[in-house]
Amino acid sequence: MTWEEVDSYLARRSDAVLPVGSTEQHGPIGLIGTDTLCATAVAEQAADRAGAVVLAPLAYTPAPFNMGFAGTISVSEATFSALLSEITAALAAHGFRKLYVLNGHGANLAPLRALAADAPLTLRIRSWWDYPQTNALRQALYGDWEGMHATPSEISITQALHRRVDRAPLPAPEALDAAFRARHAGDRHGPPGEHRARFPCGRVGAWSELARPEHGAQLLALATAEAAADIDAFARAPDA
């Protein structure tokens, strides 16, 4: 868009959509940047349906636990929070009043929620897997093997959109119990060396090899429809 097109948009509505992901390893068959690729695809397709504008994706975010794997680029939570703060300040200065954050990375959630309390505009934060029908399909397809990182659902989406990585299949990963999932929710994993020693292939309870491009197309279609409805509802809601 040109600045004049943005100016014209702001005369009609005041919301925008920001996809937020990460740049980190996603196991032997998952693409680096999977979180950003998924969040951006859902954000762009859903915003197109809802008539909203989409910001450039924010791809450099906290992923310190994956720094033991080549290709991961992690920034500190303080840097991420500062950047988010300046982005929202810039948007507010131009007259935006609402920001719909479409997230694809668990470690982003805590700093995003902290920002929402003091941001100069209203934030709605949704991860693409939050939507009820999308989440139900994930569970139906993979159950507990969806795991916590390098999940078959996100890899299915990148297979549908980009490419499938062919390699000798790995056996099922270590299954995670409820206590582990609770302790490590929001990507609260240990130091890089410790994390790689525990999960040497990069998968965390996720049987990535269950991913299929046709699953990705189904998941993307559902997430897009549910996100579009939520973006539209957010845009129409009274300002906080």
Side-chain angles (χ1 to χ4, degrees), residues 177-240:
D177 60 25
F180 182 96
R181 292 171 183 270
R183 286 197 308 273
H184 299 278
D187 285 337
R188 296 194 300 270
H189 299 292
E194 177 184 302
H195 184 67
R196 179 160 179 170
R198 176 75 186 271
F199 303 103
C201 71
R203 302 175 301 173
V204 181
W207 199 347
S208 307
E209 288 74 14
L210 298 176
R212 299 289 183 273
E214 57 270 26
H215 295 170
Q218 291 176 282
L219 288 160
L220 183 57
L222 273 180
T224 294
E226 291 186 282
D230 200 39
I231 291 168
D232 184 63
F234 180 58
R236 294 174 184 276
D239 291 345

Coordinates of all heavy atoms in Angstrom, one line a residue, residues 177-240:
D177 N 4.1 -36.0 29.4 CA 3.0 -36.1 30.4 C 2.4 -34.7 30.7 O 3.0 -33.7 30.3 CB 3.4 -36.8 31.7 CG 4.6 -36.1 32.4 OD1 4.7 -34.9 32.3 OD2 5.3 -36.8 33.2
A178 N 1.3 -34.7 31.4 CA 0.6 -33.5 31.7 C 1.5 -32.5 32.5 O 1.4 -31.3 32.3 CB -0.7 -33.8 32.4
A179 N 2.3 -33.1 33.4 CA 3.1 -32.2 34.3 C 4.1 -31.5 33.4 O 4.4 -30.3 33.7 CB 3.8 -33.1 35.4
F180 N 4.8 -32.2 32.5 CA 5.8 -31.5 31.6 C 5.1 -30.4 30.8 O 5.6 -29.3 30.7 CB 6.4 -32.6 30.7 CG 7.5 -32.0 29.8 CD1 8.8 -32.0 30.2 CD2 7.2 -31.3 28.6 CE1 9.8 -31.5 29.4 CE2 8.1 -30.8 27.8 CZ 9.5 -30.9 28.2
R181 N 3.9 -30.7 30.2 CA 3.2 -29.7 29.4 C 2.9 -28.5 30.2 O 3.0 -27.3 29.8 CB 2.0 -30.3 28.8 CG 2.2 -31.4 27.8 CD 0.9 -32.1 27.4 NE 1.1 -33.2 26.5 CZ 1.1 -33.1 25.2 NH1 0.9 -31.9 24.6 NH2 1.3 -34.1 24.4
A182 N 2.5 -28.7 31.5 CA 2.2 -27.5 32.3 C 3.4 -26.7 32.7 O 3.4 -25.5 32.6 CB 1.5 -28.0 33.6
R183 N 4.5 -27.4 33.0 CA 5.7 -26.7 33.4 C 6.3 -25.9 32.2 O 6.9 -24.8 32.4 CB 6.8 -27.7 33.9 CG 6.6 -28.2 35.3 CD 7.8 -28.9 35.8 NE 8.5 -29.8 34.9 CZ 8.1 -31.1 34.8 NH1 7.2 -31.6 35.6 NH2 8.8 -31.9 33.9
H184 N 6.1 -26.4 31.0 CA 6.8 -25.8 29.9 C 5.8 -25.0 28.9 O 6.2 -24.7 27.8 CB 7.6 -26.8 29.1 CG 8.6 -27.5 29.9 ND1 9.9 -26.9 30.1 CD2 8.6 -28.6 30.6 CE1 10.6 -27.7 30.9 NE2 9.9 -28.7 31.2
A185 N 4.6 -24.8 29.4 CA 3.6 -24.0 28.6 C 4.2 -22.7 28.2 O 4.9 -22.1 29.1 CB 2.3 -23.9 29.3
G186 N 3.9 -22.2 27.0 CA 4.5 -20.9 26.6 C 5.9 -21.0 26.3 O 6.7 -19.9 26.4
D187 N 6.4 -22.1 25.9 CA 7.8 -22.4 25.6 C 8.8 -22.0 26.7 O 9.8 -21.4 26.5 CB 8.2 -21.5 24.3 CG 7.6 -22.2 23.0 OD1 7.3 -23.4 23.0 OD2 7.4 -21.5 22.0
R188 N 8.4 -22.4 27.9 CA 9.3 -22.2 29.0 C 10.3 -23.4 29.1 O 10.2 -24.2 30.0 CB 8.6 -21.9 30.3 CG 7.7 -20.7 30.3 CD 7.2 -20.4 31.7 NE 6.4 -21.4 32.3 CZ 5.1 -21.6 32.2 NH1 4.4 -20.6 31.5 NH2 4.5 -22.5 32.8
H189 N 11.2 -23.4 28.2 CA 12.2 -24.5 28.2 C 13.5 -24.1 28.7 O 13.7 -22.9 29.0 CB 12.3 -25.1 26.7 CG 11.0 -25.6 26.1 ND1 10.4 -26.7 26.6 CD2 10.3 -25.1 25.1 CE1 9.3 -26.9 25.9 NE2 9.2 -25.9 25.0
G190 N 14.4 -25.0 28.9 CA 15.7 -24.8 29.6 C 16.7 -24.2 28.6 O 16.4 -23.8 27.5
P191 N 17.9 -24.0 29.1 CA 19.0 -23.5 28.3 C 19.3 -24.3 27.1 O 18.9 -25.5 27.0 CB 20.3 -23.6 29.3 CG 19.7 -23.7 30.6 CD 18.4 -24.4 30.5
P192 N 19.9 -23.7 26.0 CA 20.0 -24.3 24.7 C 20.7 -25.7 24.8 O 20.2 -26.7 24.2 CB 20.9 -23.3 23.9 CG 20.6 -22.0 24.5 CD 20.4 -22.3 26.0
G193 N 21.8 -25.8 25.5 CA 22.5 -27.1 25.6 C 21.7 -28.2 26.2 O 21.6 -29.3 25.8
E194 N 21.0 -27.8 27.3 CA 20.2 -28.7 28.1 C 19.0 -29.1 27.2 O 18.6 -30.3 27.2 CB 19.7 -28.0 29.3 CG 18.8 -28.8 30.2 CD 18.3 -28.0 31.4 OE1 19.2 -27.5 32.2 OE2 17.1 -27.8 31.5
H195 N 18.4 -28.2 26.5 CA 17.2 -28.5 25.7 C 17.6 -29.4 24.5 O 16.9 -30.4 24.3 CB 16.7 -27.2 25.1 CG 15.4 -27.3 24.3 ND1 14.2 -27.7 24.9 CD2 15.1 -27.2 23.0 CE1 13.3 -27.8 24.0 NE2 13.8 -27.5 22.8
R196 N 18.7 -29.2 23.9 CA 19.1 -30.1 22.8 C 19.5 -31.4 23.3 O 19.2 -32.4 22.6 CB 20.2 -29.5 22.0 CG 20.6 -30.4 20.8 CD 21.4 -29.7 19.7 NE 21.8 -30.7 18.7 CZ 22.3 -30.4 17.5 NH1 22.5 -29.1 17.2 NH2 22.6 -31.3 16.7
A197 N 20.1 -31.5 24.4 CA 20.4 -32.8 25.0 C 19.1 -33.7 25.3 O 19.1 -34.9 25.0 CB 21.2 -32.7 26.3
R198 N 18.1 -33.0 25.7 CA 16.8 -33.7 26.0 C 16.1 -34.0 24.7 O 15.5 -35.1 24.6 CB 16.0 -32.8 26.9 CG 14.6 -33.4 27.2 CD 14.6 -34.5 28.2 NE 13.3 -35.1 28.4 CZ 12.4 -34.7 29.3 NH1 12.7 -33.7 30.1 NH2 11.3 -35.3 29.4
F199 N 16.1 -33.1 23.8 CA 15.4 -33.3 22.5 C 16.3 -33.1 21.3 O 16.3 -32.1 20.6 CB 14.2 -32.3 22.4 CG 13.3 -32.4 23.6 CD1 13.3 -31.4 24.6 CD2 12.3 -33.4 23.7 CE1 12.4 -31.5 25.7 CE2 11.5 -33.5 24.7 CZ 11.5 -32.5 25.8
P200 N 17.2 -34.1 21.1 CA 18.3 -33.9 20.1 C 17.9 -33.7 18.7 O 18.6 -33.1 17.9 CB 19.1 -35.2 20.3 CG 18.2 -36.2 20.9 CD 17.3 -35.4 21.8
C201 N 16.7 -34.1 18.3 CA 16.2 -33.9 16.9 C 15.4 -32.6 16.8 O 15.0 -32.3 15.6 CB 15.4 -35.1 16.4 SG 13.8 -35.2 17.2
G202 N 15.1 -32.0 17.9 CA 14.4 -30.7 17.8 C 12.9 -30.8 18.0 O 12.2 -29.8 18.2
R203 N 12.4 -32.0 18.0 CA 10.9 -32.2 18.2 C 10.7 -32.2 19.7 O 11.5 -32.9 20.4 CB 10.4 -33.5 17.6 CG 10.6 -33.6 16.1 CD 10.2 -34.9 15.5 NE 10.9 -36.0 16.2 CZ 10.6 -37.3 16.0 NH1 9.6 -37.7 15.2 NH2 11.4 -38.2 16.6
V204 N 9.6 -31.6 20.2 CA 9.3 -31.7 21.6 C 7.9 -32.4 21.7 O 6.9 -31.7 21.6 CB 9.3 -30.3 22.3 CG1 8.9 -30.4 23.8 CG2 10.6 -29.6 22.1
G205 N 7.9 -33.7 21.9 CA 6.6 -34.4 22.0 C 5.8 -34.4 20.8 O 4.6 -34.9 20.8
A206 N 6.3 -33.9 19.6 CA 5.5 -33.8 18.4 C 6.0 -34.8 17.4 O 7.2 -34.8 17.0 CB 5.6 -32.4 17.9
W207 N 5.1 -35.6 16.9 CA 5.4 -36.6 15.8 C 5.2 -35.9 14.5 O 4.2 -36.0 13.8 CB 4.5 -37.8 15.9 CG 5.1 -39.0 15.2 CD1 6.1 -39.0 14.4 CD2 4.7 -40.3 15.4 NE1 6.4 -40.3 13.9 CE2 5.5 -41.1 14.5 CE3 3.7 -41.0 16.1 CZ2 5.3 -42.5 14.4 CZ3 3.5 -42.3 16.0 CH2 4.3 -43.1 15.2
S208 N 6.2 -35.1 14.1 CA 6.2 -34.2 13.0 C 5.8 -35.0 11.7 O 5.2 -34.5 10.8 CB 7.5 -33.5 12.8 OG 7.9 -32.8 13.9
E209 N 6.3 -36.3 11.6 CA 6.1 -37.1 10.4 C 4.7 -37.4 10.1 O 4.3 -37.9 9.0 CB 6.9 -38.4 10.5 CG 8.4 -38.1 10.4 CD 9.1 -37.5 11.6 OE1 8.4 -37.4 12.7 OE2 10.2 -37.0 11.6
L210 N 3.7 -37.1 11.0 CA 2.3 -37.3 10.8 C 1.8 -36.2 9.9 O 0.6 -36.3 9.4 CB 1.5 -37.3 12.1 CG 1.9 -38.5 13.1 CD1 1.1 -38.3 14.4 CD2 1.6 -39.8 12.4
A211 N 2.6 -35.1 9.7 CA 2.1 -34.0 8.8 C 1.8 -34.4 7.4 O 2.5 -35.3 6.8 CB 3.2 -32.9 8.9
R212 N 0.8 -33.8 6.8 CA 0.4 -34.1 5.4 C 0.0 -32.7 4.8 O -0.7 -31.9 5.4 CB -0.7 -35.1 5.3 CG -0.5 -36.4 5.9 CD 0.5 -37.2 5.0 NE 0.7 -38.6 5.5 CZ 1.6 -38.9 6.4 NH1 2.4 -38.0 7.0 NH2 1.8 -40.2 6.8
P213 N 0.3 -32.5 3.6 CA -0.1 -31.2 2.9 C -1.6 -31.1 2.9 O -2.1 -29.9 3.1 CB 0.5 -31.3 1.5 CG 1.6 -32.3 1.6 CD 1.2 -33.3 2.7
E214 N -2.3 -32.2 2.7 CA -3.8 -32.0 2.7 C -4.4 -31.6 4.1 O -5.4 -30.9 4.2 CB -4.5 -33.3 2.2 CG -4.1 -34.6 3.0 CD -2.9 -35.3 2.5 OE1 -2.0 -34.7 1.9 OE2 -2.8 -36.6 2.7
H215 N -3.7 -32.1 5.2 CA -4.1 -31.6 6.5 C -3.8 -30.1 6.6 O -4.6 -29.4 7.2 CB -3.2 -32.3 7.6 CG -3.4 -33.8 7.7 ND1 -2.6 -34.6 8.5 CD2 -4.3 -34.6 7.1 CE1 -3.0 -35.8 8.4 NE2 -4.1 -35.9 7.6
G216 N -2.7 -29.7 6.1 CA -2.4 -28.2 6.1 C -3.4 -27.4 5.4 O -3.8 -26.3 5.9
A217 N -3.9 -27.9 4.3 CA -4.9 -27.1 3.5 C -6.2 -27.0 4.3 O -6.8 -26.0 4.4 CB -5.1 -27.8 2.2
Q218 N -6.6 -28.1 5.0 CA -7.8 -28.1 5.8 C -7.6 -27.2 7.0 O -8.5 -26.4 7.3 CB -8.1 -29.5 6.3 CG -8.5 -30.5 5.3 CD -8.6 -31.9 5.9 OE1 -7.7 -32.6 6.2 NE2 -9.9 -32.3 6.2
L219 N -6.5 -27.3 7.7 CA -6.2 -26.4 8.9 C -6.2 -24.9 8.5 O -6.8 -24.1 9.2 CB -4.9 -26.8 9.5 CG -4.9 -28.1 10.3 CD1 -3.5 -28.7 10.5 CD2 -5.6 -28.0 11.6
L220 N -5.5 -24.6 7.4 CA -5.4 -23.2 7.0 C -6.8 -22.7 6.6 O -7.1 -21.5 6.9 CB -4.5 -23.1 5.8 CG -4.2 -21.7 5.2 CD1 -3.7 -20.8 6.3 CD2 -3.3 -21.8 4.0
A221 N -7.6 -23.5 5.9 CA -9.0 -23.0 5.6 C -9.8 -22.7 6.8 O -10.5 -21.7 6.9 CB -9.7 -24.1 4.7
L222 N -9.8 -23.6 7.8 CA -10.5 -23.4 9.0 C -10.0 -22.2 9.8 O -10.8 -21.3 10.2 CB -10.5 -24.6 9.9 CG -11.5 -25.8 9.7 CD1 -11.2 -26.9 10.7 CD2 -12.9 -25.2 9.8
A223 N -8.7 -22.1 10.0 CA -8.1 -21.0 10.7 C -8.4 -19.7 10.1 O -8.7 -18.7 10.7 CB -6.6 -21.2 10.9
T224 N -8.4 -19.6 8.7 CA -8.6 -18.4 8.0 C -10.1 -18.0 8.2 O -10.3 -16.8 8.5 CB -8.4 -18.6 6.5 OG1 -7.0 -18.9 6.3 CG2 -8.8 -17.4 5.7
A225 N -11.0 -18.9 8.1 CA -12.4 -18.5 8.3 C -12.7 -18.0 9.7 O -13.4 -17.0 9.9 CB -13.3 -19.7 7.9
E226 N -12.2 -18.7 10.7 CA -12.4 -18.4 12.1 C -11.7 -17.0 12.4 O -12.3 -16.2 13.1 CB -12.0 -19.5 13.0 CG -12.8 -20.7 12.9 CD -12.5 -21.8 14.0 OE1 -11.4 -22.5 13.8 OE2 -13.2 -21.9 15.0
A227 N -10.5 -16.9 11.9 CA -9.8 -15.6 12.2 C -10.5 -14.4 11.5 O -10.6 -13.3 12.1 CB -8.3 -15.7 11.7
A228 N -11.0 -14.6 10.3 CA -11.7 -13.5 9.6 C -12.9 -13.1 10.3 O -13.2 -11.9 10.5 CB -12.1 -14.0 8.2
A229 N -13.7 -14.0 10.9 CA -14.9 -13.7 11.7 C -14.5 -12.9 12.9 O -15.1 -11.9 13.3 CB -15.6 -14.9 12.0
D230 N -13.4 -13.3 13.5 CA -12.9 -12.7 14.8 C -12.3 -11.3 14.5 O -12.6 -10.3 15.3 CB -11.9 -13.6 15.5 CG -11.7 -13.2 16.9 OD1 -12.7 -13.0 17.6 OD2 -10.6 -13.3 17.4
I231 N -11.6 -11.1 13.4 CA -11.1 -9.8 13.0 C -12.3 -8.9 12.8 O -12.2 -7.7 13.2 CB -10.2 -9.9 11.8 CG1 -8.9 -10.7 12.2 CG2 -9.9 -8.6 11.2 CD1 -8.1 -11.1 11.0
D232 N -13.3 -9.3 12.1 CA -14.4 -8.5 11.8 C -15.1 -8.1 13.1 O -15.5 -6.9 13.2 CB -15.4 -9.3 10.9 CG -16.6 -8.4 10.4 OD1 -16.3 -7.4 9.7 OD2 -17.7 -8.7 10.8
A233 N -15.3 -9.1 14.0 CA -16.0 -8.7 15.3 C -15.2 -7.7 16.1 O -15.7 -6.8 16.7 CB -16.2 -10.0 16.1
F234 N -13.8 -7.9 16.1 CA -12.9 -7.0 16.8 C -13.0 -5.6 16.2 O -13.1 -4.6 16.9 CB -11.5 -7.5 16.7 CG -10.5 -6.7 17.3 CD1 -10.5 -6.4 18.7 CD2 -9.4 -6.2 16.6 CE1 -9.5 -5.7 19.3 CE2 -8.4 -5.5 17.2 CZ -8.5 -5.2 18.6
A235 N -13.1 -5.5 14.9 CA -13.2 -4.2 14.2 C -14.5 -3.5 14.5 O -14.5 -2.2 14.7 CB -13.0 -4.3 12.7
R236 N -15.6 -4.2 14.7 CA -16.9 -3.6 14.9 C -17.1 -3.3 16.4 O -18.0 -2.6 16.7 CB -18.0 -4.6 14.4 CG -18.0 -4.8 12.9 CD -19.0 -5.9 12.5 NE -18.9 -6.1 11.1 CZ -19.5 -5.4 10.1 NH1 -20.3 -4.4 10.5 NH2 -19.4 -5.7 8.9
A237 N -16.4 -4.0 17.3 CA -16.6 -3.8 18.7 C -16.2 -2.3 19.2 O -15.4 -1.7 18.6 CB -15.7 -4.8 19.5
P238 N -16.9 -1.8 20.2 CA -16.6 -0.5 20.6 C -15.2 -0.4 21.1 O -14.6 -1.4 21.6 CB -17.6 -0.2 21.8 CG -18.7 -1.2 21.6 CD -18.1 -2.4 20.9
D239 N -14.5 0.7 21.0 CA -13.1 0.9 21.5 C -13.1 0.7 23.0 O -14.0 1.1 23.7 CB -12.6 2.3 21.1 CG -12.4 2.4 19.7 OD1 -12.3 1.4 18.9 OD2 -12.2 3.6 19.2
A240 N -12.0 0.1 23.5 CA -11.9 -0.1 24.9 C -11.6 1.2 25.6 O -10.9 2.1 25.0 CB -10.8 -1.1 25.2

